[in-house]
Amino acid sequence: MLAALPLLLIPVALYNIVVLFNGSDVGMAQADAILSDPLFTVTMASGAQWSVGVGDLILFVALVILFFELLKSTASHRAAIVNHALSMILFVVCLIEFLLLRGFATSTFFLILIMVLLDVLAGFIVTIVASRRDMDFRS
C-alpha cells in the first residue's frame, strides 16, 4: 500500500515544513525570503555567482520526483488507481493551501502545484489510453 502514496507528497511536505515552522504568521514576502535565502553559492566558470536557496532545492527534488511519478503512472495495477486518487487529493490540498494560506502564495509553491496537477493529469490520461488499448472495438 506504500507504493500507492504519491511521491510528490515529499516536496509538498518539505515546503510545508519550511514555511509553517518558520513562524506562526508567515506572509508571502517572508516565505519568499525564507525560500530564496542562499544555502550555498557556486562560482561558475564565467565568474558569476550562482546562489542556491531552499526553494530551489525543493523544486529540484520535485522535478526529479515528478519524473518517477510519471513512470509510476504507466503501471496498471490496483495500487496505480489508488495512487491516482491520492494524487488528486494532494492536488486539492495544494490548491487550497495556495489560495487560502498566506505563506503559500509564492512562485515556488505554484510550480509545485503545477507539478502535482501534471501528475494527476498524466495518471488519468495514461490510464484512459491503456484501457482504450485493452478494449477491442472490432465488429
Side-chain angles (χ1 to χ4, degrees), residues 3-11 59-75 77 80 83-84 87 115 118-120 122-123 126:
L5 284 175
L7 296 175
L8 283 170
L9 183 64
I10 295 168
L59 285 176
F60 173 73
V61 168
L63 282 170
V64 171
I65 289 175
L66 179 61
F67 171 75
F68 289 107
E69 273 294 317
L70 292 176
L71 290 178
K72 238 172 64 168
S73 70
T74 61
H77 46 78
N83 179 275
H84 299 330
S87 293
M115 287 181 218
L118 290 174
D119 176 39
V120 170
V126 167

Side-chain angles (χ1 to χ4, degrees), residues 122-135:
F124 286 125
I125 290 169
V126 167
T127 302
I128 290 169
V129 168
S131 67
R132 291 181 83 196
R133 186 180 48 217
D134 290 343
M135 295 182 71

Side-chain angles (χ1 to χ4, degrees), residues 5-123:
L5 284 175
L7 296 175
L8 283 170
L9 183 64
I10 295 168
V12 171
L14 286 174
Y15 188 95
N16 276 277
I17 290 168
V18 168
V19 171
L20 293 178
F21 290 119
N22 275 310
S24 60
D25 190 27
V26 175
M28 187 182 89
Q30 293 166 321
D32 269 339
I34 293 166
L35 294 168
S36 63
D37 188 29
L39 288 176
F40 59 89
T41 303
V42 177
T43 303
M44 307 304 289
S46 65
Q49 297 288 319
W50 175 38
S51 298
V52 179
V54 175
D56 300 325
L57 289 178
I58 293 173
L59 285 176
F60 173 73
V61 168
L63 282 170
V64 171
I65 289 175
L66 179 61
F67 171 75
F68 289 107
E69 273 294 317
L70 292 176
L71 290 178
K72 238 172 64 168
S73 70
T74 61
S76 61
H77 46 78
R78 290 183 192 197
I81 304 299
V82 175
N83 179 275
H84 299 330
L86 292 175
S87 293
M88 178 61 96
I89 292 169
L90 180 63
F91 172 71
V92 170
V93 168
C94 288
L95 185 62
I96 290 169
E97 286 180 331
F98 181 70
L99 294 174
L100 299 180
L101 299 177
R102 295 178 61 198
F104 290 79
T106 63
S107 295
T108 301
F109 194 74
F110 176 74
L111 292 173
I112 293 171
L113 174 71
I114 295 301
M115 287 181 218
V116 173
L117 175 63
L118 290 174
D119 176 39
V120 170
L121 292 175

